[in-house]
Amino acid sequence: MFVLAHLSDPHLGPLPKPRLSELIGKRATGFLNWQRKRRFVHRGDVLARIVADLAAQAPDHIAVTGDLANISLAGEYAPARAWLESLGSPANVTLVPGNHDAYARRTARHAQRHWGEYMRGDDGDGFPFLRRRGPLALIGLSSALPTAPLMATGRLGPDQLQGLPAILDQCTNEGLCRVVLIHHPPVSKPSRHFKRLVDGAALCETLARHGAELVIHGHDHVHSLTFVEGPHRRIPVVGVPSASEAPPGKHDPAGYNLYRVDGGAGAWRTEVISRGISPDGANVIEIKRTVLSGS
Ligand SMILES: [Fe+2]
Ligand SMILES: [Fe+2]
């Protein structure tokens, strides 16, 4: 049995004091939004309770699917690195970036610079990357890129889409349980059109042809379970809420997932246990337990 913990979208605060030159364009509205609303939604004390509960479960590995930052100020990346280190070493924690980690063009490369060790495959830098951990193949994709104001879309681009099939096939040959990490969900509801993965259809086509055992993501800040077609069986796609959202709020209260993986090639048994802050905010509790594959 291998246990993978998954948390996402901590939107770490407090925001460092921005320089005036940093508050142009999209960052200006993002900063106002943070000051007026988001800093009351994403709370450090809530995140600390989630992380403490996660640590008590002693998972074998931790996946983080992005949005550590808020408006990509230069000063947001070093504190986020310290937070990553508090979770675990780069060998034990795997990260993919979110749209808030590449919010502004000027700091679009800061995530790689500060957090690169957590986003590095066994064979080096670049996306998609592959890390083998126990029976798992952790395959990291980056959907993070700067976008126009009011947009929170993501994109993989042709290079990642071209690189992904060979990795998926190789991991099948090695008998590994393939877990794809991405910030944006492959498919979004029409109401989230301006927050969608723009080349999600191409990703779904690749998954349909080459398969994967599990896709995990953040971005929507809610617990979710959907499926995309695979070559032999449907592939579970699981989203987690923000790890820091205080209840009551617009989204699900802060939470995280534990994936328990058992079995072997062609017969994986995967189960997801969702834990999170109770609606009254008093405790971290088990929200639900779902068998994703096998029996
Ligand atoms: Fe987010
Ligand atoms: Fe996001």
mmCIF file of all heavy atoms in Angstrom, residues 133-184:
data_model
loop_
_atom_site.group_PDB
_atom_site.id
_atom_site.type_symbol
_atom_site.label_atom_id
_atom_site.label_comp_id
_atom_site.label_asym_id
_atom_site.label_seq_id
_atom_site.Cartn_x
_atom_site.Cartn_y
_atom_site.Cartn_z
ATOM 1 N N ARG A 133 8.089 6.848 -7.689
ATOM 2 C CA ARG A 133 8.049 6.753 -6.223
ATOM 3 C C ARG A 133 7.227 5.518 -5.858
ATOM 4 O O ARG A 133 6.013 5.504 -6.085
ATOM 5 C CB ARG A 133 7.415 7.998 -5.597
ATOM 6 C CG ARG A 133 8.175 9.298 -5.844
ATOM 7 C CD ARG A 133 9.508 9.344 -5.082
ATOM 8 N NE ARG A 133 10.186 10.633 -5.216
ATOM 9 C CZ ARG A 133 11.016 10.956 -6.211
ATOM 10 N NH1 ARG A 133 11.275 10.091 -7.180
ATOM 11 N NH2 ARG A 133 11.587 12.157 -6.239
ATOM 12 N N GLY A 134 7.891 4.501 -5.294
ATOM 13 C CA GLY A 134 7.194 3.244 -5.004
ATOM 14 C C GLY A 134 6.571 2.721 -6.288
ATOM 15 O O GLY A 134 7.210 2.703 -7.349
ATOM 16 N N PRO A 135 5.285 2.329 -6.244
ATOM 17 C CA PRO A 135 4.638 1.818 -7.456
ATOM 18 C C PRO A 135 4.129 2.928 -8.368
ATOM 19 O O PRO A 135 3.552 2.659 -9.422
ATOM 20 C CB PRO A 135 3.453 1.023 -6.892
ATOM 21 C CG PRO A 135 3.107 1.733 -5.618
ATOM 22 C CD PRO A 135 4.390 2.270 -5.061
ATOM 23 N N LEU A 136 4.317 4.184 -7.952
ATOM 24 C CA LEU A 136 3.733 5.296 -8.711
ATOM 25 C C LEU A 136 4.707 5.898 -9.715
ATOM 26 O O LEU A 136 5.911 5.997 -9.458
ATOM 27 C CB LEU A 136 3.294 6.429 -7.779
ATOM 28 C CG LEU A 136 2.277 6.154 -6.680
ATOM 29 C CD1 LEU A 136 1.811 7.470 -6.068
ATOM 30 C CD2 LEU A 136 1.089 5.365 -7.204
ATOM 31 N N ALA A 137 4.137 6.328 -10.837
ATOM 32 C CA ALA A 137 4.833 7.229 -11.753
ATOM 33 C C ALA A 137 4.126 8.572 -11.607
ATOM 34 O O ALA A 137 2.956 8.703 -11.970
ATOM 35 C CB ALA A 137 4.717 6.733 -13.179
ATOM 36 N N LEU A 138 4.803 9.555 -11.027
ATOM 37 C CA LEU A 138 4.234 10.897 -10.878
ATOM 38 C C LEU A 138 4.643 11.702 -12.103
ATOM 39 O O LEU A 138 5.842 11.926 -12.330
ATOM 40 C CB LEU A 138 4.749 11.550 -9.592
ATOM 41 C CG LEU A 138 4.392 10.797 -8.308
ATOM 42 C CD1 LEU A 138 5.220 11.307 -7.126
ATOM 43 C CD2 LEU A 138 2.905 10.928 -8.006
ATOM 44 N N ILE A 139 3.649 12.080 -12.892
ATOM 45 C CA ILE A 139 3.920 12.759 -14.155
ATOM 46 C C ILE A 139 3.424 14.198 -14.024
ATOM 47 O O ILE A 139 2.227 14.447 -13.856
ATOM 48 C CB ILE A 139 3.214 12.028 -15.314
ATOM 49 C CG1 ILE A 139 3.738 10.592 -15.407
ATOM 50 C CG2 ILE A 139 3.419 12.776 -16.634
ATOM 51 C CD1 ILE A 139 2.864 9.668 -16.230
ATOM 52 N N GLY A 140 4.357 15.150 -14.034
ATOM 53 C CA GLY A 140 4.021 16.549 -13.768
ATOM 54 C C GLY A 140 3.879 17.348 -15.054
ATOM 55 O O GLY A 140 4.753 17.318 -15.922
ATOM 56 N N LEU A 141 2.760 18.045 -15.162
ATOM 57 C CA LEU A 141 2.507 18.939 -16.299
ATOM 58 C C LEU A 141 2.405 20.368 -15.782
ATOM 59 O O LEU A 141 1.927 20.601 -14.669
ATOM 60 C CB LEU A 141 1.186 18.565 -16.981
ATOM 61 C CG LEU A 141 1.109 17.191 -17.639
ATOM 62 C CD1 LEU A 141 -0.321 16.891 -18.081
ATOM 63 C CD2 LEU A 141 2.066 17.109 -18.832
ATOM 64 N N SER A 142 2.790 21.324 -16.619
ATOM 65 C CA SER A 142 2.614 22.730 -16.250
ATOM 66 C C SER A 142 1.579 23.387 -17.155
ATOM 67 O O SER A 142 1.775 23.481 -18.368
ATOM 68 C CB SER A 142 3.926 23.508 -16.362
ATOM 69 O OG SER A 142 3.667 24.885 -16.124
ATOM 70 N N SER A 143 0.497 23.847 -16.546
ATOM 71 C CA SER A 143 -0.531 24.576 -17.289
ATOM 72 C C SER A 143 -0.463 26.067 -16.958
ATOM 73 O O SER A 143 -1.354 26.832 -17.312
ATOM 74 C CB SER A 143 -1.914 24.025 -16.936
ATOM 75 O OG SER A 143 -2.133 24.077 -15.534
ATOM 76 N N ALA A 144 0.606 26.464 -16.244
ATOM 77 C CA ALA A 144 0.714 27.841 -15.731
ATOM 78 C C ALA A 144 1.365 28.760 -16.748
ATOM 79 O O ALA A 144 2.457 28.469 -17.233
ATOM 80 C CB ALA A 144 1.538 27.835 -14.451
ATOM 81 N N LEU A 145 0.699 29.845 -17.056
ATOM 82 C CA LEU A 145 1.294 30.868 -17.908
ATOM 83 C C LEU A 145 0.567 32.190 -17.677
ATOM 84 O O LEU A 145 -0.600 32.194 -17.261
ATOM 85 C CB LEU A 145 1.274 30.470 -19.393
ATOM 86 C CG LEU A 145 0.003 30.594 -20.204
ATOM 87 C CD1 LEU A 145 0.297 30.251 -21.652
ATOM 88 C CD2 LEU A 145 -1.116 29.723 -19.688
ATOM 89 N N PRO A 146 1.266 33.326 -17.883
ATOM 90 C CA PRO A 146 0.607 34.615 -17.670
ATOM 91 C C PRO A 146 -0.538 34.794 -18.663
ATOM 92 O O PRO A 146 -0.436 34.386 -19.828
ATOM 93 C CB PRO A 146 1.726 35.629 -17.948
ATOM 94 C CG PRO A 146 2.995 34.855 -17.897
ATOM 95 C CD PRO A 146 2.660 33.469 -18.313
ATOM 96 N N THR A 147 -1.634 35.381 -18.181
ATOM 97 C CA THR A 147 -2.792 35.605 -19.043
ATOM 98 C C THR A 147 -3.261 37.049 -18.906
ATOM 99 O O THR A 147 -2.830 37.764 -18.000
ATOM 100 C CB THR A 147 -3.964 34.664 -18.672
ATOM 101 O OG1 THR A 147 -4.281 34.864 -17.283
ATOM 102 C CG2 THR A 147 -3.628 33.213 -18.898
ATOM 103 N N ALA A 148 -4.188 37.430 -19.764
ATOM 104 C CA ALA A 148 -4.739 38.783 -19.746
ATOM 105 C C ALA A 148 -5.566 38.990 -18.467
ATOM 106 O O ALA A 148 -5.969 38.020 -17.820
ATOM 107 C CB ALA A 148 -5.630 38.974 -20.967
ATOM 108 N N PRO A 149 -5.832 40.272 -18.099
ATOM 109 C CA PRO A 149 -6.666 40.537 -16.930
ATOM 110 C C PRO A 149 -7.998 39.788 -17.016
ATOM 111 O O PRO A 149 -8.559 39.628 -18.108
ATOM 112 C CB PRO A 149 -6.887 42.049 -16.994
ATOM 113 C CG PRO A 149 -5.692 42.564 -17.718
ATOM 114 C CD PRO A 149 -5.338 41.506 -18.717
ATOM 115 N N LEU A 150 -8.475 39.332 -15.886
ATOM 116 C CA LEU A 150 -9.749 38.608 -15.724
ATOM 117 C C LEU A 150 -9.717 37.182 -16.292
ATOM 118 O O LEU A 150 -10.704 36.470 -16.254
ATOM 119 C CB LEU A 150 -10.930 39.374 -16.330
ATOM 120 C CG LEU A 150 -11.140 40.796 -15.789
ATOM 121 C CD1 LEU A 150 -12.298 41.486 -16.522
ATOM 122 C CD2 LEU A 150 -11.389 40.791 -14.285
ATOM 123 N N MET A 151 -8.589 36.782 -16.833
ATOM 124 C CA MET A 151 -8.462 35.423 -17.343
ATOM 125 C C MET A 151 -7.636 34.581 -16.354
ATOM 126 O O MET A 151 -6.698 35.084 -15.744
ATOM 127 C CB MET A 151 -7.744 35.408 -18.695
ATOM 128 C CG MET A 151 -8.421 36.202 -19.781
ATOM 129 S SD MET A 151 -9.958 35.453 -20.313
ATOM 130 C CE MET A 151 -9.332 34.180 -21.410
ATOM 131 N N ALA A 152 -8.023 33.333 -16.212
ATOM 132 C CA ALA A 152 -7.243 32.412 -15.366
ATOM 133 C C ALA A 152 -7.098 31.089 -16.095
ATOM 134 O O ALA A 152 -7.129 30.017 -15.505
ATOM 135 C CB ALA A 152 -7.931 32.223 -14.022
ATOM 136 N N THR A 153 -6.986 31.196 -17.419
ATOM 137 C CA THR A 153 -6.862 29.992 -18.230
ATOM 138 C C THR A 153 -5.462 29.388 -18.074
ATOM 139 O O THR A 153 -4.530 30.035 -17.594
ATOM 140 C CB THR A 153 -7.091 30.311 -19.722
ATOM 141 O OG1 THR A 153 -6.338 31.472 -20.045
ATOM 142 C CG2 THR A 153 -8.556 30.548 -20.018
ATOM 143 N N GLY A 154 -5.360 28.148 -18.502
ATOM 144 C CA GLY A 154 -4.087 27.460 -18.524
ATOM 145 C C GLY A 154 -3.876 26.841 -19.889
ATOM 146 O O GLY A 154 -4.819 26.698 -20.674
ATOM 147 N N ARG A 155 -2.638 26.480 -20.148
ATOM 148 C CA ARG A 155 -2.322 25.874 -21.450
ATOM 149 C C ARG A 155 -1.103 24.982 -21.292
ATOM 150 O O ARG A 155 -0.141 25.361 -20.620
ATOM 151 C CB ARG A 155 -2.045 27.000 -22.453
ATOM 152 C CG ARG A 155 -1.778 26.538 -23.861
ATOM 153 C CD ARG A 155 -1.754 27.763 -24.808
ATOM 154 N NE ARG A 155 -1.460 27.365 -26.160
ATOM 155 C CZ ARG A 155 -0.243 27.354 -26.704
ATOM 156 N NH1 ARG A 155 0.787 27.754 -25.980
ATOM 157 N NH2 ARG A 155 -0.062 26.959 -27.949
ATOM 158 N N LEU A 156 -1.154 23.819 -21.928
ATOM 159 C CA LEU A 156 0.005 22.930 -21.907
ATOM 160 C C LEU A 156 0.954 23.244 -23.051
ATOM 161 O O LEU A 156 2.166 23.276 -22.876
ATOM 162 C CB LEU A 156 -0.454 21.474 -22.012
ATOM 163 C CG LEU A 156 -1.248 20.949 -20.808
ATOM 164 C CD1 LEU A 156 -1.824 19.580 -21.114
ATOM 165 C CD2 LEU A 156 -0.365 20.894 -19.575
ATOM 166 N N GLY A 157 0.391 23.468 -24.216
ATOM 167 C CA GLY A 157 1.217 23.764 -25.390
ATOM 168 C C GLY A 157 1.676 22.498 -26.082
ATOM 169 O O GLY A 157 1.659 21.398 -25.507
ATOM 170 N N PRO A 158 2.105 22.643 -27.351
ATOM 171 C CA PRO A 158 2.446 21.460 -28.164
ATOM 172 C C PRO A 158 3.621 20.657 -27.635
ATOM 173 O O PRO A 158 3.628 19.424 -27.755
ATOM 174 C CB PRO A 158 2.758 22.056 -29.551
ATOM 175 C CG PRO A 158 2.890 23.526 -29.350
ATOM 176 C CD PRO A 158 2.153 23.889 -28.104
ATOM 177 N N ASP A 159 4.595 21.301 -27.036
ATOM 178 C CA ASP A 159 5.774 20.538 -26.578
ATOM 179 C C ASP A 159 5.404 19.535 -25.493
ATOM 180 O O ASP A 159 5.810 18.368 -25.544
ATOM 181 C CB ASP A 159 6.865 21.484 -26.057
ATOM 182 C CG ASP A 159 7.522 22.274 -27.179
ATOM 183 O OD1 ASP A 159 7.229 21.970 -28.359
ATOM 184 O OD2 ASP A 159 8.302 23.190 -26.886
ATOM 185 N N GLN A 160 4.612 19.987 -24.518
ATOM 186 C CA GLN A 160 4.220 19.052 -23.445
ATOM 187 C C GLN A 160 3.294 17.969 -23.990
ATOM 188 O O GLN A 160 3.410 16.793 -23.622
ATOM 189 C CB GLN A 160 3.524 19.797 -22.314
ATOM 190 C CG GLN A 160 4.464 20.656 -21.479
ATOM 191 C CD GLN A 160 3.765 21.157 -20.226
ATOM 192 O OE1 GLN A 160 3.555 20.408 -19.281
ATOM 193 N NE2 GLN A 160 3.407 22.424 -20.226
ATOM 194 N N LEU A 161 2.385 18.377 -24.870
ATOM 195 C CA LEU A 161 1.440 17.390 -25.414
ATOM 196 C C LEU A 161 2.162 16.352 -26.265
ATOM 197 O O LEU A 161 1.762 15.184 -26.299
ATOM 198 C CB LEU A 161 0.353 18.099 -26.221
ATOM 199 C CG LEU A 161 -0.683 18.846 -25.364
ATOM 200 C CD1 LEU A 161 -1.509 19.807 -26.212
ATOM 201 C CD2 LEU A 161 -1.593 17.869 -24.619
ATOM 202 N N GLN A 162 3.233 16.778 -26.926
ATOM 203 C CA GLN A 162 3.996 15.817 -27.732
ATOM 204 C C GLN A 162 4.859 14.905 -26.862
ATOM 205 O O GLN A 162 5.126 13.755 -27.210
ATOM 206 C CB GLN A 162 4.888 16.553 -28.737
ATOM 207 C CG GLN A 162 4.137 16.940 -30.001
ATOM 208 C CD GLN A 162 4.863 18.012 -30.805
ATOM 209 O OE1 GLN A 162 6.087 18.123 -30.746
ATOM 210 N NE2 GLN A 162 4.108 18.813 -31.544
ATOM 211 N N GLY A 163 5.304 15.424 -25.729
ATOM 212 C CA GLY A 163 6.186 14.635 -24.859
ATOM 213 C C GLY A 163 5.455 13.633 -23.982
ATOM 214 O O GLY A 163 6.042 12.643 -23.519
ATOM 215 N N LEU A 164 4.175 13.901 -23.751
ATOM 216 C CA LEU A 164 3.426 13.086 -22.785
ATOM 217 C C LEU A 164 3.210 11.621 -23.205
ATOM 218 O O LEU A 164 3.393 10.719 -22.374
ATOM 219 C CB LEU A 164 2.087 13.780 -22.493
ATOM 220 C CG LEU A 164 1.195 13.167 -21.426
ATOM 221 C CD1 LEU A 164 1.919 13.032 -20.088
ATOM 222 C CD2 LEU A 164 -0.079 14.008 -21.256
ATOM 223 N N PRO A 165 2.835 11.320 -24.460
ATOM 224 C CA PRO A 165 2.549 9.921 -24.813
ATOM 225 C C PRO A 165 3.695 8.961 -24.529
ATOM 226 O O PRO A 165 3.473 7.871 -23.980
ATOM 227 C CB PRO A 165 2.253 9.986 -26.323
ATOM 228 C CG PRO A 165 1.736 11.369 -26.531
ATOM 229 C CD PRO A 165 2.521 12.227 -25.581
ATOM 230 N N ALA A 166 4.917 9.352 -24.848
ATOM 231 C CA ALA A 166 6.055 8.443 -24.645
ATOM 232 C C ALA A 166 6.223 8.133 -23.162
ATOM 233 O O ALA A 166 6.540 6.989 -22.786
ATOM 234 C CB ALA A 166 7.332 9.074 -25.208
ATOM 235 N N ILE A 167 5.986 9.129 -22.311
ATOM 236 C CA ILE A 167 6.136 8.899 -20.866
ATOM 237 C C ILE A 167 5.034 7.960 -20.368
ATOM 238 O O ILE A 167 5.300 7.022 -19.607
ATOM 239 C CB ILE A 167 6.096 10.243 -20.102
ATOM 240 C CG1 ILE A 167 7.338 11.058 -20.456
ATOM 241 C CG2 ILE A 167 6.014 10.026 -18.600
ATOM 242 C CD1 ILE A 167 7.372 12.442 -19.855
ATOM 243 N N LEU A 168 3.813 8.205 -20.827
ATOM 244 C CA LEU A 168 2.703 7.346 -20.409
ATOM 245 C C LEU A 168 2.957 5.896 -20.834
ATOM 246 O O LEU A 168 2.745 4.959 -20.057
ATOM 247 C CB LEU A 168 1.381 7.855 -20.993
ATOM 248 C CG LEU A 168 0.890 9.207 -20.443
ATOM 249 C CD1 LEU A 168 -0.285 9.722 -21.275
ATOM 250 C CD2 LEU A 168 0.488 9.101 -18.971
ATOM 251 N N ASP A 169 3.418 5.712 -22.077
ATOM 252 C CA ASP A 169 3.672 4.355 -22.591
ATOM 253 C C ASP A 169 4.822 3.682 -21.841
ATOM 254 O O ASP A 169 4.749 2.505 -21.487
ATOM 255 C CB ASP A 169 3.994 4.404 -24.090
ATOM 256 C CG ASP A 169 2.768 4.795 -24.920
ATOM 257 O OD1 ASP A 169 1.659 4.812 -24.359
ATOM 258 O OD2 ASP A 169 2.941 5.099 -26.118
ATOM 259 N N GLN A 170 5.874 4.454 -21.613
ATOM 260 C CA GLN A 170 7.039 3.907 -20.907
ATOM 261 C C GLN A 170 6.644 3.415 -19.506
ATOM 262 O O GLN A 170 7.069 2.352 -19.060
ATOM 263 C CB GLN A 170 8.099 5.009 -20.804
ATOM 264 C CG GLN A 170 9.372 4.611 -20.081
ATOM 265 C CD GLN A 170 10.272 5.824 -19.865
ATOM 266 O OE1 GLN A 170 10.213 6.805 -20.618
ATOM 267 N NE2 GLN A 170 11.096 5.771 -18.837
ATOM 268 N N CYS A 171 5.814 4.189 -18.836
ATOM 269 C CA CYS A 171 5.401 3.821 -17.469
ATOM 270 C C CYS A 171 4.495 2.589 -17.480
ATOM 271 O O CYS A 171 4.522 1.791 -16.545
ATOM 272 C CB CYS A 171 4.704 4.990 -16.792
ATOM 273 S SG CYS A 171 5.822 6.366 -16.540
ATOM 274 N N THR A 172 3.706 2.443 -18.538
ATOM 275 C CA THR A 172 2.916 1.207 -18.672
ATOM 276 C C THR A 172 3.855 0.015 -18.788
ATOM 277 O O THR A 172 3.675 -1.003 -18.119
ATOM 278 C CB THR A 172 2.024 1.270 -19.936
ATOM 279 O OG1 THR A 172 1.203 2.409 -19.837
ATOM 280 C CG2 THR A 172 1.155 0.031 -20.060
ATOM 281 N N ASN A 173 4.869 0.169 -19.629
ATOM 282 C CA ASN A 173 5.827 -0.931 -19.817
ATOM 283 C C ASN A 173 6.548 -1.284 -18.523
ATOM 284 O O ASN A 173 6.933 -2.428 -18.301
ATOM 285 C CB ASN A 173 6.858 -0.564 -20.898
ATOM 286 C CG ASN A 173 6.205 -0.437 -22.261
ATOM 287 O OD1 ASN A 173 5.123 -0.994 -22.489
ATOM 288 N ND2 ASN A 173 6.833 0.302 -23.171
ATOM 289 N N GLU A 174 6.747 -0.274 -17.684
ATOM 290 C CA GLU A 174 7.434 -0.513 -16.410
ATOM 291 C C GLU A 174 6.474 -1.023 -15.333
ATOM 292 O O GLU A 174 6.890 -1.270 -14.202
ATOM 293 C CB GLU A 174 8.109 0.783 -15.924
ATOM 294 C CG GLU A 174 9.274 1.208 -16.801
ATOM 295 C CD GLU A 174 9.926 2.503 -16.311
ATOM 296 O OE1 GLU A 174 9.829 2.806 -15.116
ATOM 297 O OE2 GLU A 174 10.519 3.215 -17.135
ATOM 298 N N GLY A 175 5.177 -1.116 -15.670
ATOM 299 C CA GLY A 175 4.199 -1.632 -14.703
ATOM 300 C C GLY A 175 3.884 -0.660 -13.589
ATOM 301 O O GLY A 175 3.500 -1.068 -12.485
ATOM 302 N N LEU A 176 4.030 0.634 -13.859
ATOM 303 C CA LEU A 176 3.786 1.647 -12.821
ATOM 304 C C LEU A 176 2.352 2.162 -12.860
ATOM 305 O O LEU A 176 1.687 2.112 -13.896
ATOM 306 C CB LEU A 176 4.754 2.824 -13.011
ATOM 307 C CG LEU A 176 6.244 2.492 -12.838
ATOM 308 C CD1 LEU A 176 7.117 3.664 -13.300
ATOM 309 C CD2 LEU A 176 6.546 2.147 -11.374
ATOM 310 N N CYS A 177 1.907 2.655 -11.732
ATOM 311 C CA CYS A 177 0.589 3.286 -11.617
ATOM 312 C C CYS A 177 0.765 4.773 -11.948
ATOM 313 O O CYS A 177 1.401 5.517 -11.200
ATOM 314 C CB CYS A 177 0.066 3.101 -10.191
ATOM 315 S SG CYS A 177 -1.517 3.879 -9.893
ATOM 316 N N ARG A 178 0.210 5.185 -13.062
ATOM 317 C CA ARG A 178 0.483 6.528 -13.595
ATOM 318 C C ARG A 178 -0.464 7.572 -12.988
ATOM 319 O O ARG A 178 -1.673 7.504 -13.166
ATOM 320 C CB ARG A 178 0.343 6.531 -15.122
ATOM 321 C CG ARG A 178 1.313 5.578 -15.812
ATOM 322 C CD ARG A 178 0.879 5.278 -17.230
ATOM 323 N NE ARG A 178 -0.389 4.561 -17.265
ATOM 324 C CZ ARG A 178 -1.041 4.231 -18.389
ATOM 325 N NH1 ARG A 178 -0.525 4.565 -19.555
ATOM 326 N NH2 ARG A 178 -2.180 3.586 -18.328
ATOM 327 N N VAL A 179 0.141 8.536 -12.303
ATOM 328 C CA VAL A 179 -0.630 9.622 -11.696
ATOM 329 C C VAL A 179 -0.180 10.930 -12.354
ATOM 330 O O VAL A 179 0.987 11.305 -12.269
ATOM 331 C CB VAL A 179 -0.403 9.699 -10.173
ATOM 332 C CG1 VAL A 179 -1.248 10.817 -9.564
ATOM 333 C CG2 VAL A 179 -0.714 8.360 -9.508
ATOM 334 N N VAL A 180 -1.114 11.592 -13.036
ATOM 335 C CA VAL A 180 -0.803 12.840 -13.730
ATOM 336 C C VAL A 180 -1.161 14.013 -12.827
ATOM 337 O O VAL A 180 -2.284 14.096 -12.317
ATOM 338 C CB VAL A 180 -1.579 12.934 -15.066
ATOM 339 C CG1 VAL A 180 -1.346 14.272 -15.747
ATOM 340 C CG2 VAL A 180 -1.176 11.777 -15.990
ATOM 341 N N LEU A 181 -0.199 14.913 -12.622
ATOM 342 C CA LEU A 181 -0.412 16.107 -11.798
ATOM 343 C C LEU A 181 -0.534 17.323 -12.710
ATOM 344 O O LEU A 181 0.346 17.584 -13.532
ATOM 345 C CB LEU A 181 0.779 16.344 -10.869
ATOM 346 C CG LEU A 181 0.957 15.502 -9.612
ATOM 347 C CD1 LEU A 181 1.158 14.035 -9.933
ATOM 348 C CD2 LEU A 181 2.137 16.017 -8.791
ATOM 349 N N ILE A 182 -1.612 18.076 -12.530
ATOM 350 C CA ILE A 182 -1.811 19.289 -13.330
ATOM 351 C C ILE A 182 -2.637 20.266 -12.491
ATOM 352 O O ILE A 182 -3.484 19.846 -11.700
ATOM 353 C CB ILE A 182 -2.506 18.945 -14.677
ATOM 354 C CG1 ILE A 182 -2.663 20.190 -15.550
ATOM 355 C CG2 ILE A 182 -3.848 18.244 -14.485
ATOM 356 C CD1 ILE A 182 -3.110 19.889 -16.995
ATOM 357 N N HIS A 183 -2.382 21.556 -12.656
ATOM 358 C CA HIS A 183 -3.142 22.533 -11.859
ATOM 359 C C HIS A 183 -4.589 22.660 -12.341
ATOM 360 O O HIS A 183 -5.525 22.571 -11.550
ATOM 361 C CB HIS A 183 -2.461 23.900 -11.903
ATOM 362 C CG HIS A 183 -3.215 24.940 -11.137
ATOM 363 N ND1 HIS A 183 -3.335 24.903 -9.768
ATOM 364 C CD2 HIS A 183 -3.938 26.020 -11.537
ATOM 365 C CE1 HIS A 183 -4.080 25.917 -9.357
ATOM 366 N NE2 HIS A 183 -4.461 26.610 -10.415
ATOM 367 N N HIS A 184 -4.768 22.884 -13.621
ATOM 368 C CA HIS A 184 -6.120 23.049 -14.171
ATOM 369 C C HIS A 184 -6.780 21.684 -14.417
ATOM 370 O O HIS A 184 -6.112 20.753 -14.862
ATOM 371 C CB HIS A 184 -6.080 23.794 -15.517
ATOM 372 C CG HIS A 184 -5.695 25.232 -15.414
ATOM 373 N ND1 HIS A 184 -4.392 25.635 -15.207
ATOM 374 C CD2 HIS A 184 -6.431 26.373 -15.496
ATOM 375 C CE1 HIS A 184 -4.347 26.965 -15.170
ATOM 376 N NE2 HIS A 184 -5.566 27.436 -15.335
#
